């Protein structure tokens, strides 16, 4: 219920009457929201301050995700041009909200921490989407930073490095699982930006299996203040696995 309330508060904070006329509602990554809640639940904070920190981290994530939706094709009509410009502005607007919230709680160091993560993520996105013929290890290194830099910076800031391995494994499994579904479906309009992936379907199958097992083991051994959060993370992990294996089975049956 607490996580759900934070999501509702985020939706209210993100709501903008003008942007709402032209753009879809920004997507909130519920898995990262849950992970941020789990991390901040380990820190002795008031409920209000905990909520503020979680929302600021998620606003940064949403701003980054929004900028990923900016189209790059050259030939577009006037409506698509307006949507492209507004998507850029929306990402900037969502980013400004996190500065505002942290200024309210007077935590300038946290602003620097999140700004460092933003810089690292954007650098890796440039490498991932513009470098041709990158090897698998380079791509994997970029994906790790893109998916986890925010959480890694936050956990280092609060001296909770024990969460880095679990969050990294969980989010990397989710990302690779989505990449696998993307390749099997050959979707063009997918929520993950396209790049020249060096992974075959067999590679993705092996990597998904590896990170699923690693995440499961890390969750089982994790000591958390709130067992309910651990159960939620397990349920979400199994849900991702269910959809991955269900779709893979369907693809095989249909001969894809």
């Amino acid at each position: 219920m607490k996580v759900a309330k934070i999501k509702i508060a985020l939706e209210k904070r993100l709501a903008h009457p003008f942007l709402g006329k032209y753009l879809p509602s920004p997507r909130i990554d519920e898995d990262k929201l849950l992970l941020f809640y789990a991390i901040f639940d380990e820190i002795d904070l008031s409920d209000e301050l905990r909520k503020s920190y979680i929302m600021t981290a998620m606003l940064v994530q949403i701003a980054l995700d929004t900028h990923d939706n900016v189209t790059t094709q050259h030939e577009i009509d006037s409506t698509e041009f307006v949507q492209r410009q507004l998507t850029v502005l929306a990402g900037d607007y969502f980013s400004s909200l996190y500065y505002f919230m942290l200024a309210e709680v007077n935590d300038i160091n946290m602003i620097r921490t999140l700004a460092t993560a933003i810089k690292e993520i954007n650098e890796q996105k440039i490498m991932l989407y513009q470098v041709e013929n990158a090897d698998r290890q380079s791509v994997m290194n970029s994906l790790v930073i893109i998916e986890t830099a925010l959480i890694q910076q936050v956990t280092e800031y609060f001296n909770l490095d024990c969460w880095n391995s679990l969050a990294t494994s969980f989010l990397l499994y989710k990302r690779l699982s989505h990449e696998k579904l993307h390749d099997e479906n050959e979707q063009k309009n997918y929520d993950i930006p396209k790049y020249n992936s060096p992974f075959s379907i067999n590679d993705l199958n092996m990597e998904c299996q590896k990170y699923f097992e690693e995440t499961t083991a890390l969750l089982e051994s994790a000591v958390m203040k709130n067992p309910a959060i651990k159960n939620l993370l397990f349920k979400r992990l199994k849900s991702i696995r269910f959809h991955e294996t269900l779709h893979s089975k369907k693809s095989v049956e249909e001969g894809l």
Side-chain angles (χ1 to χ4, degrees):
M1 288 299 297
K2 289 181 179 179
V3 176
K5 287 179 180 178
I6 293 175
K7 183 183 178 184
I8 292 171
L10 264 174
E11 290 169 342
K12 290 180 179 179
R13 181 70 69 137
L14 292 165
H16 190 287
F18 181 75
L19 293 175
K21 289 182 180 180
Y22 299 95
L23 300 175
S25 299
R27 183 177 64 88
I28 297 174
D29 189 324
E30 295 184 2
D31 294 311
K32 288 182 179 176
L33 174 58
L34 179 57
L35 282 169
F36 275 121
Y37 185 89
I39 290 166
F40 280 103
D41 189 61
E42 299 294 317
I43 307 170
D44 186 18
L45 299 170
S46 67
D47 287 345
E48 195 60 33
L49 187 56
R50 181 180 295 110
K51 175 183 173 182
S52 293
Y53 278 129
I54 295 169
M55 287 184 64
T56 54
M58 287 303 300
L59 285 169
V60 173
Q61 184 64 58
I62 292 163
L64 291 165
D65 292 342
T66 300
H67 280 149
D68 281 342
N69 293 328
V70 177
T71 58
T72 57
Q73 64 262 37
H74 297 292
E75 297 182 4
I76 56 175
D77 58 31
S78 58
T79 300
E80 291 170 325
F81 178 79
V82 170
Q83 288 180 327
R84 175 189 290 176
Q85 297 298 95
L86 286 177
T87 302
V88 174
L89 291 174
D92 292 342
Y93 170 65
F94 300 148
S95 184
S96 71
L97 292 177
Y98 104 80
Y99 285 105
F100 178 74
M101 289 192 69
L102 285 178
E104 284 185 319
V105 299
N106 195 29
D107 194 339
I108 304 303
N109 289 329
M110 188 62 167
I111 292 177
R112 294 194 188 98
T113 296
L114 296 178
T116 299
I118 293 169
K119 174 178 175 290
E120 291 177 353
I121 290 168
N122 285 332
E123 286 175 348
Q124 293 304 316
K125 284 182 177 179
I126 290 171
M127 292 180 63
L128 188 64
Y129 304 137
Q130 294 188 3
V131 175
E132 296 183 1
N133 302 319
D135 60 82
R136 284 189 291 180
Q137 190 57 54
S138 296
V139 169
M140 191 66 75
N141 292 341
S142 293
L143 290 178
V144 169
I145 294 173
I146 289 168
E147 292 299 323
T148 70
L150 273 175
I151 285 178
Q152 288 181 359
Q153 287 293 332
V154 168
T155 54
E156 288 176 13
Y157 181 74
F158 288 102
N159 296 315
L160 290 171
D161 295 349
C162 57
W163 274 90
N164 281 348
S165 296
L166 174 56
T168 297
S169 184
F170 185 100
L171 292 175
L172 201 53
Y173 169 64
K174 177 185 176 181
R175 175 68 185 247
L176 292 173
S177 176
H178 282 194
E179 298 244 348
K180 180 183 170 186
L181 296 181
H182 171 239
D183 286 355
E184 288 175 341
N185 285 332
E186 295 183 352
Q187 295 174 340
K188 293 182 179 179
N189 296 319
Y190 195 67
D191 61 356
I192 297 174
K194 285 186 69 69
Y195 63 93
N196 295 319
S197 173
F199 301 111
S200 67
I201 290 295
N202 285 337
D203 291 333
L204 290 172
N205 279 331
M206 289 189 292
E207 292 295 330
C208 283
Q209 182 64 30
K210 168 188 169 184
Y211 283 105
F212 174 79
E213 292 175 355
E214 183 177 296
T215 308
T216 300
L218 288 168
L219 268 176
E220 287 175 345
S221 61
V223 178
M224 299 183 190
K225 192 160 61 174
N226 189 344
I229 294 176
K230 189 172 185 177
N231 290 335
L232 283 173
L233 287 168
F234 261 122
K235 287 180 180 179
R236 183 56 193 151
L237 180 66
K238 291 176 182 177
S239 176
I240 297 170
R241 182 66 164 177
F242 173 77
H243 288 290
E244 175 201 341
T245 54
L246 179 66
H247 183 81
S248 295
K249 181 180 178 181
K250 183 178 178 182
S251 297
V252 170
E253 290 173 348
E254 293 176 353
L256 297 180

